[in-house]
């Protein structure tokens, strides 16, 4: 879509010469068009200029109303205010979770339409068969827009002919679009010809066409570049940054959300300080969301100061979802998502999985890692997370995911055996057990029972102490202490 993967829609009525208004009023009254406007926009987000809003006199019901004005003193009950088009679009995109229709509807006036036409994906235009001498106009429709469909009507009350028309943005224009269609038809025909051993042209020509088309497709695919300028889901909106002064580490954009439901949370980002010399241990966290073979992998680091007070920080390697984008493991193979490395409080990133999403979550202490390796792994997380600000990367379901990236970092410190359980991350406990990363005084079954977080925190929300420190204590209860 044209604006950072959010559909932008113009909803407008205009006459034969693109007139949309006269003296800040509609030059006609067509009740069928008003019903059409209501049908298209109700339950959504509407964005308009101040003059358009004042011509209506009140906010549109059952819609979130955004008004653009440069007047910093202007206000009105029931509307949200932005001082520019970009600001309105960016802020309104965060409201999409609250509404039924996942589009931003631009409804006027002429200047707003003109400035947003190049980012519009769809035009819902009522073409009115009148010639009005007005003073506000809709811009000419560029050739990149193609008429999708239209229906002719006539006003029952005023006998005015009009047409409901939908125009779709084809960013490469009609000729390029037809070329792309022809390209894929040619490719499909050559493949079919090869498959059925009856050449569409000649067998050798079919193979050549296929190879050329396949090469073009590969060039396009590998030419896709990851970006940081999209409208991100609030959970991954910020990128890790840090500074180091000797052992003193200052980390910016540590996530510490307060969760009440999957879509109900308080957004909190913090700056925290850690002393690298006080890093004591690490824990592998596994959150099972797809059976017993697949789990999301997190790494939590434990610090302890001279008085014995613990501090914890968890890193999660995730897809960087855009607003209202959902996860698809298939899409993860095809450069659909950028990569995110999120530093977070345990009560945020573990609690949301165990108590909000109700995934099965386990914590396995890795107490036998040498301190130098532990510090290097912690710094590796910071370096890779910070690098994403200048060098965004693609997430890949198989090769660049929450588990494989951890193993890549560990391999740079101290090579570990390659194993199928790196891919089937749900089987990592047995891998850790086989590599003596888990104490063999306990069986693997005993470890899984001790590591299971959910029973420990299932009543956390009703307890008196709902602090982050208490949550961290509770998820570690019953685990063997390190030597």
């Amino acid at each position: 879509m044209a604006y950072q993967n959010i559909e932008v829609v113009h909803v407008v009525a205009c006459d034969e010469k693109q007139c949309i208004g006269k003296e800040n009023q509609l030059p006609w009254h067509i009740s069928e068009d008003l019903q059409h406007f209501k049908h298209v926009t109700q339950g959504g987000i509407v964005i308009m200029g101040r003059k358009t809003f004042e011509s209506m006199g009140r906010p549109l019901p059952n819609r979130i109303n955004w008004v653009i004005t440069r007047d910093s003193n202007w206000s009105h009950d029931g509307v949200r205010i932005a001082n520019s088009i970009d600001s309105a679009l960016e802020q309104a995109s965060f409201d999409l979770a609250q509404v039924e229709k996942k589009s931003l509807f631009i409804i006027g006036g002429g200047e707003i339409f003109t400035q947003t036409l190049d980012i519009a994906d769809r035009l819902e235009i009522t073409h009115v068969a009148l010639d009005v001498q007005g003073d506000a106009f809709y811009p000419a429709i560029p050739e990149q827009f193609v008429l999708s469909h239209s229906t002719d009507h006539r006003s029952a009350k005023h006998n005015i002919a009009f047409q409901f028309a939908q125009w779709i943005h084809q960013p490469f224009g009609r000729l390029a679009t037809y070329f792309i269609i022809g390209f894929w038809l040619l490719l499909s025909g050559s493949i079919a010809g090869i498959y059925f051993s009856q050449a569409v042209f000649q067998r050798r020509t079919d193979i050549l066409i296929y190879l050329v088309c396949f090469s073009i497709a590969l060039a396009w695919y590998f030419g896709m570049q990851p970006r940081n300028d999209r409208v991100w889901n609030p959970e991954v909106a910020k990128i890790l940054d840090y500074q180091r002064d000797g052992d003193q580490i200052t980390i910016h954009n540590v996530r510490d959300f307060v969760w009440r439901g999957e879509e109900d949370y308080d957004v909190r980002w913090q700056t925290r300080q850690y002393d690298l010399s006080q890093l004591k241990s690490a824990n592998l966290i596994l959150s099972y969301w797809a059976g017993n073979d697949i789990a999301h992998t997190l790494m939590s680091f434990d610090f302890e100061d001279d008085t014995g007070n613990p501090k914890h920080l968890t890193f999660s390697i995730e897809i960087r979802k855009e607003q209202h984008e959902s996860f698809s493991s298939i899409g993860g193979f095809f450069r659909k998502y950028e990569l995110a490395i999120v530093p977070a409080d345990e009560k945020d990133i573990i609690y949301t999985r165990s108590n909000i999403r109700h995934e099965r979550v386990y914590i396995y202490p890795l107490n036998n890692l040498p301190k130098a390796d532990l510090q290097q792994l912690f710094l590796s997380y910071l370096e890779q997370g910070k690098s994403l600000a200048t060098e965004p990367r693609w997430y890949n379901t198989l090769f660049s995911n929450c588990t494989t990236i951890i193993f890549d970092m560990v391999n740079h410190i101290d090579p570990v055996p390659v194993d199928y359980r790196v891919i089937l991350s749900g089987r990592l406990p047995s891998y850790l057990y086989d590599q003596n990363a888990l104490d063999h005084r306990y069986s693997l079954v005993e470890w899984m029972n001790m590591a299971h977080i959910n029973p420990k925190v299932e009543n956390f929300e009703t307890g008196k102490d709902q602090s982050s420190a208490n949550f961290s204590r509770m998820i570690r209860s019953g685990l063997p202490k390190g030597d």
Side-chain angles (χ1 to χ4, degrees), residues 192-381:
I194 295 169
Y195 181 79
F196 292 110
S197 299
Q198 294 176 354
V200 175
F201 302 104
Q202 294 180 356
R203 186 170 180 80
R204 196 172 288 178
T205 303
D206 285 343
I207 293 174
L208 180 62
I209 290 172
Y210 170 76
L211 291 175
V212 169
C213 293
F214 185 68
S215 299
I216 293 173
L218 280 180
W220 167 78
Y221 175 76
F222 287 108
M224 295 170 61
Q225 296 299 316
R227 296 162 49 185
N228 281 328
D229 61 347
R230 309 185 196 275
V231 179
W232 302 109
N233 188 299
E235 300 171 46
V236 289
K238 294 184 180 291
I239 296 177
L240 178 161
D241 192 15
Y242 82 100
Q243 289 87 38
R244 180 181 181 183
D245 183 10
D247 283 339
Q248 301 305 308
I249 309 291
T250 301
I251 306 175
H252 306 284
N253 299 329
V254 176
R255 206 180 80 189
D256 187 24
F257 285 19
V258 177
W259 295 86
R260 292 176 293 273
E262 289 196 52
E263 300 294 337
D264 183 13
Y265 48 79
D266 296 331
V267 175
R268 299 197 313 193
W269 297 93
Q270 298 180 338
T271 294
R272 295 187 177 185
Q273 284 77 38
Y274 295 88
D275 187 335
L276 198 60
S277 66
Q278 295 177 352
L279 179 57
K280 299 299 182 183
S281 59
N283 310 273
L284 187 70
I285 316 283
L286 295 176
S287 185
Y288 290 81
W289 56 274
N292 293 322
D293 291 326
I294 303 297
H296 181 68
T297 309
L298 307 90
M299 188 71 72
S300 188
F301 292 89
D302 301 334
F303 295 79
E304 188 176 287
D305 63 21
D306 295 334
T307 62
N309 292 321
K311 293 173 68 176
H312 310 281
L313 184 67
T314 303
F315 289 94
S316 178
I317 298 170
E318 305 184 356
I319 64 168
R320 197 175 188 198
K321 289 190 296 186
E322 298 173 52
Q323 280 278 330
H324 312 294
E325 191 174 40
S326 58
F327 175 69
S328 164
S329 56
I330 301 300
F333 283 102
F334 299 106
R335 300 194 169 193
K336 180 175 174 61
Y337 310 106
E338 279 83 1
L339 182 74
I341 297 180
V342 181
D345 190 275
E346 289 186 332
K347 186 175 173 285
D348 171 337
I349 209 157
I350 298 175
Y351 175 85
T352 186
R353 293 178 177 277
S354 61
N355 291 53
I356 301 298
R357 301 179 191 172
H358 302 291
E359 298 173 2
R360 290 183 295 117
V361 188
Y362 297 78
I363 178 170
Y364 295 95
L366 307 176
N367 294 319
N368 61 350
L369 286 178
K371 186 164 185 173
D373 291 354
L374 194 61
Q375 292 176 337
Q376 195 170 344
L377 180 60
F378 182 78
L379 292 172
S380 183
Y381 267 105

